[in-house]
Amino acid sequence: MSRVKMTLAAGATMALALAMNGAQAADLPSRAMVPIPPTFTVYNWTGFYVGAQVGYKSGSDRTTEFVTGTGLASGFDRKFNPKGIIGGLHAGYNQQYGAMVFGVEADIEASGYRGGYTNVAPTGTRFRSDWQGSVRARLGVTPVDRLLVYVTGGVAFAQMRHSYFNGAISEGFTQTRTGYTIGAGAEYAFTNNLTARVEYRYSDYGRFRNASLVAFPGFNYRHDPSDHAVRVGVSYKF
């Protein structure tokens, strides 16, 4: 009987100890879960890309007449302002160092750039350019993530056709002119691969002359074409 009492007393003591330990554990502060901070991926502009663009350009040109035999100006000087829609493809490569982005880009475009004038008689000049392109460097900064603000400049080239008409007689001169182009733009990356841009560029192709042989024999005509263009475009970055 005494052994049974001792066993019951030992069990009661153990149960009391377990109950006290459980109460003490309940009083301890719980260990809070440490939240995992969200991760943000900074966009990187490094890589090759291709894209398409469309825009509008307007410019100025002039026909200044000279006597071929003497080289003296005849006094005739007429300015005109071509304009038209342009659009085509571009491809390039960017390399990013910190907030700076260095790149090179080339483009080729079809052109609806047209202009000219008509005098009484009728006489005059017609102008058209059916294609153009450029090879340029780009230098940009990223003031905020996914936004690139840049300047660009390089070599521009364009087909130019000037036609002179004198009544029913006309003649045309077509050549590819090389000049320079400079500008600036902004580009935004909507996804890791898709970007969109808006860009302004000024292009100048220098002075050159065409010697008339049919419409106005004995005279040559100097031109000084330049233009301003605004483009919007999209690119796919590999």
Side-chain angles (χ1 to χ4, degrees), residues 4-22:
V4 172
K5 290 181 179 180
M6 289 177 64
T7 301
L8 291 174
T13 302
M14 184 177 295
L16 180 59
L18 291 174
M20 291 179 65
N21 289 336

mmCIF file with all atom_site columns, all heavy atoms in Angstrom, residues 4-22:
data_model
loop_
_atom_site.group_PDB
_atom_site.id
_atom_site.type_symbol
_atom_site.label_atom_id
_atom_site.label_alt_id
_atom_site.label_comp_id
_atom_site.label_asym_id
_atom_site.label_entity_id
_atom_site.label_seq_id
_atom_site.pdbx_PDB_ins_code
_atom_site.Cartn_x
_atom_site.Cartn_y
_atom_site.Cartn_z
_atom_site.occupancy
_atom_site.B_iso_or_equiv
_atom_site.pdbx_formal_charge
_atom_site.auth_seq_id
_atom_site.auth_comp_id
_atom_site.auth_asym_id
_atom_site.auth_atom_id
_atom_site.pdbx_PDB_model_num
ATOM 1   N N   . VAL A 1 4  ? 2.280  1.956  -3.411  1.00 0.00 ? 4  VAL A N   1
ATOM 2   C CA  . VAL A 1 4  ? 1.307  2.583  -4.318  1.00 0.00 ? 4  VAL A CA  1
ATOM 3   C C   . VAL A 1 4  ? 1.225  4.061  -4.038  1.00 0.00 ? 4  VAL A C   1
ATOM 4   O O   . VAL A 1 4  ? 1.181  4.889  -4.954  1.00 0.00 ? 4  VAL A O   1
ATOM 5   C CB  . VAL A 1 4  ? -0.059 1.907  -4.181  1.00 0.00 ? 4  VAL A CB  1
ATOM 6   C CG1 . VAL A 1 4  ? -1.117 2.672  -4.979  1.00 0.00 ? 4  VAL A CG1 1
ATOM 7   C CG2 . VAL A 1 4  ? 0.014  0.463  -4.628  1.00 0.00 ? 4  VAL A CG2 1
ATOM 8   N N   . LYS A 1 5  ? 1.208  4.433  -2.739  1.00 0.00 ? 5  LYS A N   1
ATOM 9   C CA  . LYS A 1 5  ? 1.138  5.855  -2.391  1.00 0.00 ? 5  LYS A CA  1
ATOM 10  C C   . LYS A 1 5  ? 2.366  6.592  -2.912  1.00 0.00 ? 5  LYS A C   1
ATOM 11  O O   . LYS A 1 5  ? 2.273  7.725  -3.403  1.00 0.00 ? 5  LYS A O   1
ATOM 12  C CB  . LYS A 1 5  ? 1.034  6.009  -0.871  1.00 0.00 ? 5  LYS A CB  1
ATOM 13  C CG  . LYS A 1 5  ? -0.292 5.567  -0.311  1.00 0.00 ? 5  LYS A CG  1
ATOM 14  C CD  . LYS A 1 5  ? -0.344 5.766  1.206   1.00 0.00 ? 5  LYS A CD  1
ATOM 15  C CE  . LYS A 1 5  ? -1.683 5.355  1.791   1.00 0.00 ? 5  LYS A CE  1
ATOM 16  N NZ  . LYS A 1 5  ? -1.725 5.548  3.251   1.00 0.00 ? 5  LYS A NZ  1
ATOM 17  N N   . MET A 1 6  ? 3.549  5.958  -2.792  1.00 0.00 ? 6  MET A N   1
ATOM 18  C CA  . MET A 1 6  ? 4.761  6.608  -3.252  1.00 0.00 ? 6  MET A CA  1
ATOM 19  C C   . MET A 1 6  ? 4.721  6.803  -4.766  1.00 0.00 ? 6  MET A C   1
ATOM 20  O O   . MET A 1 6  ? 5.148  7.823  -5.313  1.00 0.00 ? 6  MET A O   1
ATOM 21  C CB  . MET A 1 6  ? 5.988  5.754  -2.871  1.00 0.00 ? 6  MET A CB  1
ATOM 22  C CG  . MET A 1 6  ? 6.273  5.754  -1.369  1.00 0.00 ? 6  MET A CG  1
ATOM 23  S SD  . MET A 1 6  ? 7.647  4.675  -0.947  1.00 0.00 ? 6  MET A SD  1
ATOM 24  C CE  . MET A 1 6  ? 8.941  5.516  -1.800  1.00 0.00 ? 6  MET A CE  1
ATOM 25  N N   . THR A 1 7  ? 4.194  5.808  -5.486  1.00 0.00 ? 7  THR A N   1
ATOM 26  C CA  . THR A 1 7  ? 4.103  5.919  -6.962  1.00 0.00 ? 7  THR A CA  1
ATOM 27  C C   . THR A 1 7  ? 3.162  7.037  -7.357  1.00 0.00 ? 7  THR A C   1
ATOM 28  O O   . THR A 1 7  ? 3.436  7.827  -8.263  1.00 0.00 ? 7  THR A O   1
ATOM 29  C CB  . THR A 1 7  ? 3.628  4.594  -7.546  1.00 0.00 ? 7  THR A CB  1
ATOM 30  O OG1 . THR A 1 7  ? 4.543  3.559  -7.170  1.00 0.00 ? 7  THR A OG1 1
ATOM 31  C CG2 . THR A 1 7  ? 3.531  4.668  -9.067  1.00 0.00 ? 7  THR A CG2 1
ATOM 32  N N   . LEU A 1 8  ? 2.001  7.127  -6.657  1.00 0.00 ? 8  LEU A N   1
ATOM 33  C CA  . LEU A 1 8  ? 1.033  8.196  -6.968  1.00 0.00 ? 8  LEU A CA  1
ATOM 34  C C   . LEU A 1 8  ? 1.629  9.550  -6.675  1.00 0.00 ? 8  LEU A C   1
ATOM 35  O O   . LEU A 1 8  ? 1.434  10.520 -7.417  1.00 0.00 ? 8  LEU A O   1
ATOM 36  C CB  . LEU A 1 8  ? -0.244 7.977  -6.149  1.00 0.00 ? 8  LEU A CB  1
ATOM 37  C CG  . LEU A 1 8  ? -1.083 6.758  -6.554  1.00 0.00 ? 8  LEU A CG  1
ATOM 38  C CD1 . LEU A 1 8  ? -2.253 6.569  -5.580  1.00 0.00 ? 8  LEU A CD1 1
ATOM 39  C CD2 . LEU A 1 8  ? -1.592 6.932  -7.977  1.00 0.00 ? 8  LEU A CD2 1
ATOM 40  N N   . ALA A 1 9  ? 2.399  9.657  -5.556  1.00 0.00 ? 9  ALA A N   1
ATOM 41  C CA  . ALA A 1 9  ? 3.012  10.941 -5.202  1.00 0.00 ? 9  ALA A CA  1
ATOM 42  C C   . ALA A 1 9  ? 4.034  11.353 -6.241  1.00 0.00 ? 9  ALA A C   1
ATOM 43  O O   . ALA A 1 9  ? 4.131  12.519 -6.635  1.00 0.00 ? 9  ALA A O   1
ATOM 44  C CB  . ALA A 1 9  ? 3.667  10.824 -3.817  1.00 0.00 ? 9  ALA A CB  1
ATOM 45  N N   . ALA A 1 10 ? 4.828  10.396 -6.744  1.00 0.00 ? 10 ALA A N   1
ATOM 46  C CA  . ALA A 1 10 ? 5.824  10.718 -7.769  1.00 0.00 ? 10 ALA A CA  1
ATOM 47  C C   . ALA A 1 10 ? 5.162  11.180 -9.051  1.00 0.00 ? 10 ALA A C   1
ATOM 48  O O   . ALA A 1 10 ? 5.603  12.119 -9.713  1.00 0.00 ? 10 ALA A O   1
ATOM 49  C CB  . ALA A 1 10 ? 6.704  9.491  -8.032  1.00 0.00 ? 10 ALA A CB  1
ATOM 50  N N   . GLY A 1 11 ? 4.047  10.542 -9.441  1.00 0.00 ? 11 GLY A N   1
ATOM 51  C CA  . GLY A 1 11 ? 3.336  10.937 -10.664 1.00 0.00 ? 11 GLY A CA  1
ATOM 52  C C   . GLY A 1 11 ? 2.753  12.322 -10.537 1.00 0.00 ? 11 GLY A C   1
ATOM 53  O O   . GLY A 1 11 ? 2.767  13.121 -11.479 1.00 0.00 ? 11 GLY A O   1
ATOM 54  N N   . ALA A 1 12 ? 2.197  12.593 -9.342  1.00 0.00 ? 12 ALA A N   1
ATOM 55  C CA  . ALA A 1 12 ? 1.618  13.919 -9.134  1.00 0.00 ? 12 ALA A CA  1
ATOM 56  C C   . ALA A 1 12 ? 2.687  14.990 -9.204  1.00 0.00 ? 12 ALA A C   1
ATOM 57  O O   . ALA A 1 12 ? 2.481  16.073 -9.746  1.00 0.00 ? 12 ALA A O   1
ATOM 58  C CB  . ALA A 1 12 ? 0.895  13.948 -7.781  1.00 0.00 ? 12 ALA A CB  1
ATOM 59  N N   . THR A 1 13 ? 3.875  14.692 -8.620  1.00 0.00 ? 13 THR A N   1
ATOM 60  C CA  . THR A 1 13 ? 4.972  15.666 -8.660  1.00 0.00 ? 13 THR A CA  1
ATOM 61  C C   . THR A 1 13 ? 5.419  15.948 -10.083 1.00 0.00 ? 13 THR A C   1
ATOM 62  O O   . THR A 1 13 ? 5.671  17.074 -10.487 1.00 0.00 ? 13 THR A O   1
ATOM 63  C CB  . THR A 1 13 ? 6.149  15.143 -7.839  1.00 0.00 ? 13 THR A CB  1
ATOM 64  O OG1 . THR A 1 13 ? 5.706  14.905 -6.492  1.00 0.00 ? 13 THR A OG1 1
ATOM 65  C CG2 . THR A 1 13 ? 7.301  16.123 -7.823  1.00 0.00 ? 13 THR A CG2 1
ATOM 66  N N   . MET A 1 14 ? 5.511  14.862 -10.882 1.00 0.00 ? 14 MET A N   1
ATOM 67  C CA  . MET A 1 14 ? 5.925  15.036 -12.294 1.00 0.00 ? 14 MET A CA  1
ATOM 68  C C   . MET A 1 14 ? 4.892  15.832 -13.070 1.00 0.00 ? 14 MET A C   1
ATOM 69  O O   . MET A 1 14 ? 5.241  16.698 -13.884 1.00 0.00 ? 14 MET A O   1
ATOM 70  C CB  . MET A 1 14 ? 6.129  13.657 -12.927 1.00 0.00 ? 14 MET A CB  1
ATOM 71  C CG  . MET A 1 14 ? 6.645  13.720 -14.372 1.00 0.00 ? 14 MET A CG  1
ATOM 72  S SD  . MET A 1 14 ? 6.960  12.077 -15.037 1.00 0.00 ? 14 MET A SD  1
ATOM 73  C CE  . MET A 1 14 ? 8.315  11.578 -13.959 1.00 0.00 ? 14 MET A CE  1
ATOM 74  N N   . ALA A 1 15 ? 3.613  15.579 -12.855 1.00 0.00 ? 15 ALA A N   1
ATOM 75  C CA  . ALA A 1 15 ? 2.556  16.319 -13.567 1.00 0.00 ? 15 ALA A CA  1
ATOM 76  C C   . ALA A 1 15 ? 2.596  17.780 -13.200 1.00 0.00 ? 15 ALA A C   1
ATOM 77  O O   . ALA A 1 15 ? 2.404  18.666 -14.040 1.00 0.00 ? 15 ALA A O   1
ATOM 78  C CB  . ALA A 1 15 ? 1.190  15.697 -13.241 1.00 0.00 ? 15 ALA A CB  1
ATOM 79  N N   . LEU A 1 16 ? 2.845  18.075 -11.908 1.00 0.00 ? 16 LEU A N   1
ATOM 80  C CA  . LEU A 1 16 ? 2.920  19.468 -11.466 1.00 0.00 ? 16 LEU A CA  1
ATOM 81  C C   . LEU A 1 16 ? 4.096  20.183 -12.111 1.00 0.00 ? 16 LEU A C   1
ATOM 82  O O   . LEU A 1 16 ? 3.995  21.340 -12.540 1.00 0.00 ? 16 LEU A O   1
ATOM 83  C CB  . LEU A 1 16 ? 3.043  19.503 -9.942  1.00 0.00 ? 16 LEU A CB  1
ATOM 84  C CG  . LEU A 1 16 ? 3.134  20.910 -9.316  1.00 0.00 ? 16 LEU A CG  1
ATOM 85  C CD1 . LEU A 1 16 ? 1.892  21.733 -9.670  1.00 0.00 ? 16 LEU A CD1 1
ATOM 86  C CD2 . LEU A 1 16 ? 3.324  20.810 -7.801  1.00 0.00 ? 16 LEU A CD2 1
ATOM 87  N N   . ALA A 1 17 ? 5.253  19.477 -12.247 1.00 0.00 ? 17 ALA A N   1
ATOM 88  C CA  . ALA A 1 17 ? 6.439  20.086 -12.857 1.00 0.00 ? 17 ALA A CA  1
ATOM 89  C C   . ALA A 1 17 ? 6.191  20.398 -14.328 1.00 0.00 ? 17 ALA A C   1
ATOM 90  O O   . ALA A 1 17 ? 6.559  21.451 -14.837 1.00 0.00 ? 17 ALA A O   1
ATOM 91  C CB  . ALA A 1 17 ? 7.634  19.163 -12.699 1.00 0.00 ? 17 ALA A CB  1
ATOM 92  N N   . LEU A 1 18 ? 5.530  19.455 -15.012 1.00 0.00 ? 18 LEU A N   1
ATOM 93  C CA  . LEU A 1 18 ? 5.230  19.688 -16.432 1.00 0.00 ? 18 LEU A CA  1
ATOM 94  C C   . LEU A 1 18 ? 4.282  20.860 -16.616 1.00 0.00 ? 18 LEU A C   1
ATOM 95  O O   . LEU A 1 18 ? 4.424  21.677 -17.541 1.00 0.00 ? 18 LEU A O   1
ATOM 96  C CB  . LEU A 1 18 ? 4.640  18.416 -17.056 1.00 0.00 ? 18 LEU A CB  1
ATOM 97  C CG  . LEU A 1 18 ? 5.606  17.235 -17.207 1.00 0.00 ? 18 LEU A CG  1
ATOM 98  C CD1 . LEU A 1 18 ? 4.865  15.995 -17.687 1.00 0.00 ? 18 LEU A CD1 1
ATOM 99  C CD2 . LEU A 1 18 ? 6.741  17.593 -18.167 1.00 0.00 ? 18 LEU A CD2 1
ATOM 100 N N   . ALA A 1 19 ? 3.302  20.957 -15.738 1.00 0.00 ? 19 ALA A N   1
ATOM 101 C CA  . ALA A 1 19 ? 2.346  22.067 -15.830 1.00 0.00 ? 19 ALA A CA  1
ATOM 102 C C   . ALA A 1 19 ? 3.029  23.389 -15.589 1.00 0.00 ? 19 ALA A C   1
ATOM 103 O O   . ALA A 1 19 ? 2.753  24.387 -16.271 1.00 0.00 ? 19 ALA A O   1
ATOM 104 C CB  . ALA A 1 19 ? 1.208  21.845 -14.835 1.00 0.00 ? 19 ALA A CB  1
ATOM 105 N N   . MET A 1 20 ? 3.959  23.464 -14.638 1.00 0.00 ? 20 MET A N   1
ATOM 106 C CA  . MET A 1 20 ? 4.667  24.706 -14.344 1.00 0.00 ? 20 MET A CA  1
ATOM 107 C C   . MET A 1 20 ? 5.569  25.095 -15.518 1.00 0.00 ? 20 MET A C   1
ATOM 108 O O   . MET A 1 20 ? 5.653  26.265 -15.893 1.00 0.00 ? 20 MET A O   1
ATOM 109 C CB  . MET A 1 20 ? 5.495  24.540 -13.056 1.00 0.00 ? 20 MET A CB  1
ATOM 110 C CG  . MET A 1 20 ? 4.634  24.409 -11.807 1.00 0.00 ? 20 MET A CG  1
ATOM 111 S SD  . MET A 1 20 ? 5.633  24.188 -10.330 1.00 0.00 ? 20 MET A SD  1
ATOM 112 C CE  . MET A 1 20 ? 6.484  25.754 -10.282 1.00 0.00 ? 20 MET A CE  1
ATOM 113 N N   . ASN A 1 21 ? 6.268  24.101 -16.111 1.00 0.00 ? 21 ASN A N   1
ATOM 114 C CA  . ASN A 1 21 ? 7.123  24.403 -17.276 1.00 0.00 ? 21 ASN A CA  1
ATOM 115 C C   . ASN A 1 21 ? 6.312  24.931 -18.443 1.00 0.00 ? 21 ASN A C   1
ATOM 116 O O   . ASN A 1 21 ? 6.718  25.844 -19.158 1.00 0.00 ? 21 ASN A O   1
ATOM 117 C CB  . ASN A 1 21 ? 7.896  23.152 -17.696 1.00 0.00 ? 21 ASN A CB  1
ATOM 118 C CG  . ASN A 1 21 ? 8.988  22.793 -16.699 1.00 0.00 ? 21 ASN A CG  1
ATOM 119 O OD1 . ASN A 1 21 ? 9.454  23.667 -15.965 1.00 0.00 ? 21 ASN A OD1 1
ATOM 120 N ND2 . ASN A 1 21 ? 9.388  21.525 -16.669 1.00 0.00 ? 21 ASN A ND2 1
ATOM 121 N N   . GLY A 1 22 ? 5.103  24.346 -18.637 1.00 0.00 ? 22 GLY A N   1
ATOM 122 C CA  . GLY A 1 22 ? 4.244  24.829 -19.730 1.00 0.00 ? 22 GLY A CA  1
ATOM 123 C C   . GLY A 1 22 ? 3.781  26.240 -19.489 1.00 0.00 ? 22 GLY A C   1
ATOM 124 O O   . GLY A 1 22 ? 3.731  27.059 -20.409 1.00 0.00 ? 22 GLY A O   1
#
